[in-house]
Amino acid sequence: MDNNLKKTPLYETHLKYGAKMIDFAGFAMPVQYESILKEHEAVRKSAGLFDVSHMGEIIIEGKDSDKFINYIISNNIAKISDNQAMYSPMCYANGTTVDDLLVYKFSNEKYMLVVNASNIDKDYNWIFENKSGYNIAVKNISNEVSELALQGPKAQEILQKTTEYNLDDMKYYHFDKINLAGVNCLISRTGYTGEDGFEIFLRNDYAQSMWEKILAVGEEFGIKPAGLGARDTLRFEAGLPLYGNELSDDITPLEAGLGSFVNFEKDFIGRDALFKQKQEGLKRKIVGFEMIDNGIPRHGYDVYAQGEKIGYVTTGYLSPTLKKNIGMALISSKFANIGNEINIIVRNKPLKALVSSKNFYKKNYKK
């Protein structure tokens, strides 16, 4: 493995647990420990613990913070209160996607953006380029903060064993600063798996002890350390987009089916382009599909219908939960109706598939 890769504070711990390491967005990250399938099943049935310290954290503070963030994201942060988080795309002027991110609101004058690892520098530069005229300070704290994600139906029971804070009081997409196992952390009821769970932000020097503590108290519940392989199969089954697959600087939030996170009642970068796209109708969109013929679809495979190329697969797997070959694809809108037959080109052979909902798995969030 490339020695120039960035390492999270848990790198040595991953090696101790037998992780298979890969290059992900310039970081040496665990793709799996025991197996992707077993880690996936642990999260669906009990709990899994992920190191997501490669994600970026950017603090925005100052008296114009709320105005500025509402200008750079498509969702409307006026709809959330202090200690609440919000998901949103962030767009270029042409409507395509800079990134999709979470906004954590501490107050009208202080926010944290949690951004994708592959986009940290790009996002920071984009924010910096657009902050002229706003009374704000921007700080990239990504290298100072570790992030763990505890996900699964047993996540609350496990985490409760480390704190006196009543986790029943923490609603979905809310957060608080609480003491976990003697360490001050920021905890949010968020995740990327389709299950209930928590994301834990803490100082780098406490990451290893927190990892070990959560795995120890979770042992009786069947917790497993989980890698990025299971994180991808879990988010995919739940119909959640991955930047670089279902979203990119070539794909708009509307094409990705994220129209509910685009608020046209306010001004934001990309609004005019997206409004025009909505008015004119989408020429292409992200759809789900299920294979009829036997073959596993993979990212980048071509999609055909009626003898013409209509798009490409953005994500595809043999679903560990559903035991079916399923995928998501960006295709021409005229073929996007549920039930339409399409062909996925697998090893130069056209294999039949049917367009389906992207929500392959019913999400189990605690609302």
Side-chain angles (χ1 to χ4, degrees):
M1 180 169 287
D2 184 352
N3 287 329
N4 293 321
L5 291 177
K6 290 182 255 185
K7 296 178 173 70
T8 76
L10 287 163
Y11 176 78
E12 297 295 339
T13 307
H14 297 316
L15 297 182
K16 183 180 107 175
Y17 279 84
K20 178 184 176 186
M21 306 298 284
I22 60 162
D23 175 355
F24 183 84
F27 286 83
M29 295 298 294
V31 67
Q32 65 179 70
Y33 300 84
E34 191 175 354
S35 79
I36 291 174
L37 182 61
K38 287 182 177 175
E39 293 158 30
H40 180 109
E41 287 178 344
V43 174
R44 288 281 180 251
K45 293 174 182 173
S46 172
L49 182 64
F50 301 82
D51 175 16
V52 286
S53 303
H54 60 315
M55 299 289 281
E57 295 84 18
I58 298 170
I59 298 290
I60 296 177
E61 54 187 328
K63 70 181 182 65
D64 291 340
S65 296
D66 52 351
K67 288 181 199 160
F68 175 70
I69 291 172
N70 242 2
Y71 175 61
I72 61 166
I73 68 169
S74 62
N75 211 339
N76 188 359
I77 58 160
K79 294 184 174 179
I80 62 170
S81 306
D82 294 359
N83 284 47
Q84 202 169 349
M86 173 176 266
Y87 170 82
S88 182
M90 179 166 67
C91 297
Y92 292 107
N94 67 359
T96 64
T97 314
V98 181
D99 202 0
D100 64 330
L101 47 84
L102 287 189
V103 180
Y104 285 69
K105 180 177 181 178
F106 297 100
S107 71
N108 286 338
E109 296 189 5
K110 186 176 181 182
Y111 294 83
M112 178 171 74
L113 308 185
V114 179
V115 305
N116 284 298
S118 58
N119 293 333
I120 296 171
D121 293 338
K122 180 183 77 171
D123 289 2
Y124 180 78
N125 291 336
W126 177 251
I127 288 164
F128 216 83
E129 285 166 19
N130 286 285
K131 78 180 188 71
S132 179
Y134 291 91
N135 187 347
I136 57 165
V138 181
K139 187 180 182 189
N140 179 4
I141 62 166
S142 305
N143 293 333
E144 303 166 28
V145 177
S146 292
E147 183 186 352
L148 309 181
L150 176 61
Q151 300 283 297
K154 300 291 186 185
Q156 179 171 328
E157 282 182 79
I158 292 167
L159 200 62
Q160 193 64 72
K161 287 185 168 289
T162 69
T163 184
E164 294 178 3
Y165 181 101
N166 185 355
L167 293 169
D168 271 334
D169 293 339
M170 187 175 290
K171 296 176 186 162
Y172 182 60
Y173 262 68
H174 285 67
F175 68 91
D176 211 342
K177 290 179 179 176
I178 66 176
N179 188 293
L180 283 188
V183 177
N184 291 326
C185 306
L186 188 152
I187 314 289
S188 60
R189 195 167 210 132
T190 50
Y192 192 49
T193 61
E195 301 296 338
D196 186 28
F198 301 87
E199 292 178 304
I200 303 161
F201 300 85
L202 69 171
R203 276 176 38 191
N204 290 337
D205 42 351
Y206 293 115
Q208 186 176 345
S209 60
M210 187 63 69
W211 175 271
E212 299 282 11
K213 176 69 175 177
I214 292 171
L215 287 179
V217 299
E219 187 175 1
E220 65 179 287
F221 298 93
I223 193 174
K224 288 187 184 296
L228 295 185
R231 192 166 186 250
D232 198 43
T233 54
L234 289 157
R235 71 90 195 163
F236 160 67
E237 285 183 346
L240 301 172
L242 173 65
Y243 191 90
N245 292 36
E246 288 75 39
L247 282 169
S248 74
D249 58 9
D250 182 55
I251 302 171
T252 74
L254 300 183
E255 292 172 329
L258 299 173
S260 59
F261 304 103
V262 177
N263 188 305
F264 289 113
E265 294 171 7
K266 62 166 193 130
D267 187 31
F268 62 91
I269 300 171
R271 182 195 181 280
D272 293 348
L274 290 172
F275 190 74
K276 183 169 184 274
Q277 186 178 56
K278 184 181 180 183
Q279 294 295 101
E280 292 176 354
L282 296 174
K283 294 180 174 62
R284 56 183 196 164
K285 58 177 68 171
I286 298 279
V287 299
F289 65 86
E290 182 178 330
M291 299 298 295
I292 299 171
D293 291 339
N294 192 27
I296 300 177
R298 298 293 187 201
H299 173 76
Y301 284 9
D302 287 340
V303 181
Y304 276 70
Q306 298 174 6
E308 64 173 300
K309 183 181 172 184
I310 62 164
Y312 62 92
V313 175
T314 57
T315 304
Y317 282 109
L318 167 57
S319 162
T321 305
L322 305 175
K323 311 290 191 269
K324 294 175 180 176
N325 292 323
I326 55 177
M328 290 192 273
L330 181 63
I331 64 170
S332 167
S333 295
K334 66 180 179 180
F335 298 102
N337 289 339
I338 289 178
N340 275 2
E341 187 175 298
I342 56 176
N343 290 308
I344 312 298
I345 309 302
V346 181
R347 298 197 182 101
N348 298 317
K349 272 182 67 179
L351 301 183
K352 286 181 191 170
L354 291 181
V355 175
S356 70
S357 164
K358 296 192 296 286
N359 299 316
F360 303 108
Y361 176 79
K362 184 178 178 293
K363 300 179 184 77
N364 293 306
Y365 300 142
K366 182 176 176 181
K367 297 278 179 132

